[in-house]
Amino acid sequence: MERISWHQYFMAQSHLLALRSTCDRLAVGATIIRDNRIIAGGYNGSVSGSVHCIDEGCYVIDGHCVRTIHAEMNAILQCAKFGVATEDAEIYVTHFPCLQCCKAIIQSGIKKVFYANEYRNHPYAEELFEHANVHVEKIELDETLIETKGKEKLQFIRTLLQRLSDAGVDEKEVKNYYDKATSLFNDSV
């Protein structure tokens, strides 16, 4: 068995963190590491104890939700809260950091940024990273390593099975497909 690479391991961690996001618009996760050890993680969501976007919708001003704290900031703040140094650390993020997070990453001393998805990559953020000698690299997640879209896939399978049944496909054949899907989705079809 071949072991998962460090890049994929940490990017998978960031994608798992994103599953905790309370933002309706975009789920983002971030993992800060040093010496191949996770030192902090964050996801985008509201201030602790406050109302979440999933509860009352996004609070949008000038096209941005002002209710959420970004994943990168949550991870950096976690380090600050617990006294964990971020100097020369690396950060893995599900999406390219926004301009404000870019500045926080630079100020925190993080020297490498790995991101999986392009997202409104701001030219000034790219310029700031370059000027600060922060290495930035796109590392796409190999989605076969973790399941990040299970609910969507499950709904797709349910819809297909129903359409097969509605189209008059042999009941036994549909049942075989149902049994196979059930085993793949751990009895949740």
Side-chain angles (χ1 to χ4, degrees):
M1 179 173 110
E2 188 175 329
R3 292 189 336 166
I4 186 174
S5 73
W6 285 115
H7 282 310
Q8 288 299 307
Y9 175 74
F10 295 124
M11 193 56 76
Q13 178 68 32
S14 294
H15 279 79
L16 287 172
L17 282 162
L19 296 174
R20 291 278 307 152
S21 172
T22 60
C23 179
D24 284 333
R25 300 172 74 193
L26 182 68
V28 179
T31 305
I32 301 177
I33 64 131
R34 193 175 46 244
D35 300 324
N36 284 340
R37 299 293 179 261
I38 297 171
I39 61 174
Y43 52 88
N44 56 329
S46 299
V47 174
S48 295
S50 186
V51 173
H52 294 278
C53 298
I54 58 173
D55 299 324
E56 292 190 10
C58 292
Y59 183 14
V60 179
I61 298 175
D62 296 328
H64 298 283
C65 180
V66 297
R67 179 171 283 147
T68 60
I69 299 171
H70 290 188
E72 303 92 325
M73 288 301 298
N74 265 329
I76 291 168
L77 290 169
Q78 186 179 71
C79 287
K81 183 176 182 177
F82 295 107
V84 178
T86 54
E87 189 69 29
D88 296 323
E90 303 172 12
I91 190 167
Y92 285 78
V93 190
T94 57
H95 296 78
F96 188 86
C98 74
L99 183 56
Q100 298 306 317
C101 288
C102 159
K103 293 187 278 186
I105 288 167
I106 292 167
Q107 286 300 101
S108 71
I110 292 172
K111 294 298 182 191
K112 293 183 180 178
V113 175
F114 300 101
Y115 69 97
N117 301 294
E118 308 286 341
Y119 184 72
R120 300 180 184 172
N121 300 27
H122 198 287
Y124 187 53
E126 293 172 345
E127 182 182 326
L128 285 173
F129 279 139
E130 185 177 337
H131 186 263
N133 294 316
V134 173
H135 174 83
V136 178
E137 185 178 345
K138 184 174 184 177
I139 304 285
E140 293 183 16
L141 174 67
D142 176 356
E143 293 195 18
T144 62
L145 298 174
I146 62 168
E147 180 59 65
T148 60
K149 296 179 182 166
K151 290 180 184 175
E152 293 88 348
K153 290 177 181 178
L154 182 57
Q155 185 55 48
F156 178 73
I157 295 296
R158 284 181 180 145
T159 301
L160 282 178
L161 290 171
Q162 186 59 52
R163 289 198 176 169
L164 286 173
S165 182
D166 293 348
V169 173
D170 181 64
E171 191 176 310
K172 185 176 180 181
E173 186 177 353
V174 173
K175 170 94 170 83
N176 287 336
Y177 291 136
Y178 177 86
D179 291 344
K180 178 67 174 173
T182 300
S183 69
L184 289 173
F185 285 96
N186 297 321
D187 301 322
S188 57
V189 179

